[in-house]
Amino acid sequence: MKIGFIGLGLMGRPMAANLRKAGFALLVSDVRPEAAKELLEAGCRWSDDPAGESDILFTSLPGPKEVEAVSVQILASAKPGAAWFDLSTNSPVVVRRLHARCASKGVQLLDAPVSGGPGGAQSGRLALWVGGDRPTYERCLPVLKAIGDEPFYVGAIGAGTVAKLVHNASSFMVQAALAETFTLGVKAGVEPLALFKALRQGATGRARTFDRLAEKFLPGSYDPAGFALRLAHKDVTLALELAQACRVPMRAGEHALAELSEAIARGWGERDCRVAMELQAERAGVSVRVPREQLKEII
Ligand code: NAD
């Protein structure tokens, strides 16, 4: 079985190296030939057209534009029956469009964006969120496991990309919120190291970032309250008063308080504070529900 790898950047190079270490015959390519140097020394072979020779092809490219550009050659030369995993963080629209084009040539495109950074790509501690044909995913699992320890089939084509975009948007929204609250704490006079230690000790600090979704929001149960909405509203109000006194702008904080205020106005003050998340579900026109029993299987 031959494996092709196009895109040998910060992520692609270590992922390709791990495939080689696992013993797979690997054809590599990049617009920057020098990016392949170490891989060629490790026994990979250079190819100007890896798609033409590969049973399984990987791409790890900057974004939609580069994937579309590379797809022209892939569509022209890939073998019918071949599988193409796009490891790039791409657009679901582009992924689905290319999937349809590939299908007409007998090639299965699966989206498989990764999470774990260059360190994870090197150590293999890497999540791969896969969307597309399930039998192809299962057939290629041994190869995917050489890249990352946590391949996960998310759903139909594009589902992996949606999961990745939701993950990264969450990360950067949390990052913006932490920048706000942390600068507030430091400007209000607490030593950064002490503040960091204190934050890690709190309820949110001890949880994995997304695990708290499973407590109330996913099962959709807000009564009785674990922490009442009226108390959360009081705490954020106090924090914003402190911010005003310290002249620290709190854009995310003001947004959070507006959500809590609207939920209070609904008469939900005695319910669990996370009931405010239902306002967004309402605006988005979607119901988000996972039965507790199913959550127990994951957590
Ligand atoms: P990178 O810019 O380091 O690597 C991209 C590689 O693609 C480069 O080597 C570049 O020369 C090559 N390339 C560009 N256009 C090409 C073309 N037309 N044909 C062949 N090769 C081409 O980027 P990266 O950090 O390795 O990220 C790759 C993908 O993984 C991106 O979609 C990124 O969003 C995603 N990602 C990155 C990280 C991270 O921490 N760096 C983490 C998870 C996911």
Side-chain angles (χ1 to χ4, degrees):
M1 181 174 59
K2 278 191 193 159
I3 299 179
F5 208 112
I6 306 175
L8 309 171
L10 277 177
M11 296 299 287
R13 198 172 335 141
M15 289 193 278
N18 282 336
L19 283 167
R20 181 68 202 125
K21 268 186 218 150
F24 295 107
L26 205 63
L27 306 162
V28 295
S29 178
D30 194 290
V31 277
R32 299 176 301 120
E34 69 276 15
K37 188 173 172 288
E38 289 163 26
L39 291 165
L40 299 182
E41 284 164 10
C44 298
R45 183 157 70 76
W46 177 268
S47 169
D48 290 328
D49 180 20
E53 297 181 64
S54 302
D55 305 292
I56 302 177
L57 179 71
F58 290 99
T59 45
S60 176
L61 297 161
K65 190 164 60 79
E66 292 81 6
V67 178
E68 291 234 60
V70 165
S71 75
V72 176
Q73 193 185 33
I74 295 174
L75 282 160
S77 61
K79 301 193 285 188
W84 168 19
F85 289 85
D86 181 28
L87 304 163
S88 324
T89 303
N90 203 338
S91 137
V93 175
V94 170
V95 156
R96 289 179 185 135
R97 188 166 60 227
L98 293 179
H99 173 262
R101 284 189 203 147
C102 285
S104 69
K105 304 255 172 185
V107 173
Q108 279 291 350
L109 169 62
L110 296 93
D111 54 321
V114 302
S115 186
Q122 201 163 5
S123 68
R125 281 199 56 175
L126 199 67
L128 279 99
W129 292 312
V130 185
D133 184 56
R134 187 160 202 160
T136 305
Y137 164 77
E138 274 160 14
R139 179 168 60 79
C140 298
L141 252 182
V143 179
L144 298 177
K145 283 187 175 160
I147 294 179
D149 60 344
E150 293 209 22
F152 174 54
Y153 180 81
V154 187
I157 185 70
T161 302
V162 170
K164 170 72 184 176
L165 297 181
V166 167
H167 175 275
N168 278 25
S170 306
S171 305
F172 293 111
M173 288 160 79
V174 169
Q175 175 178 297
L178 285 178
E180 260 187 36
T181 50
F182 211 86
T183 50
L184 168 63
V186 172
K187 205 168 173 193
V190 180
E191 283 299 319
L193 183 61
L195 185 59
F196 178 55
K197 280 189 184 171
L199 287 185
R200 292 187 73 238
Q201 286 179 324
T204 305
R206 286 181 197 221
R208 287 178 61 164
T209 312
F210 300 120
D211 280 5
R212 301 206 85 194
L213 283 173
E215 292 173 9
K216 302 285 179 188
F217 180 57
L218 293 179
S221 72
Y222 304 105
D223 309 285
F227 181 43
L229 174 62
R230 70 183 155 78
L231 296 177
H233 186 275
K234 177 246 331 173
D235 290 357
V236 179
T237 303
L238 288 172
L240 290 190
E241 282 171 10
L242 178 66
Q244 213 169 20
C246 298
R247 297 191 188 281
V248 173
M250 297 281 283
R251 283 182 256 187
E254 276 158 21
H255 172 71
L257 184 63
E259 291 292 282
L260 298 175
S261 299
E262 192 175 332
I264 294 254
R266 294 278 185 110
W268 296 342
E270 294 306 323
R271 307 186 75 191
D272 190 89
C273 54
R274 284 155 284 189
V275 71
M277 295 170 87
E278 291 296 327
L279 297 171
Q280 173 62 14
E282 229 177 77
R283 287 191 293 265
V286 69
S287 166
V288 180
R289 287 290 173 269
V290 184
R292 278 207 193 280
E293 306 72 61
Q294 288 180 20
L295 289 166
K296 276 188 202 139
E297 289 166 20
I298 296 177
I299 294 197

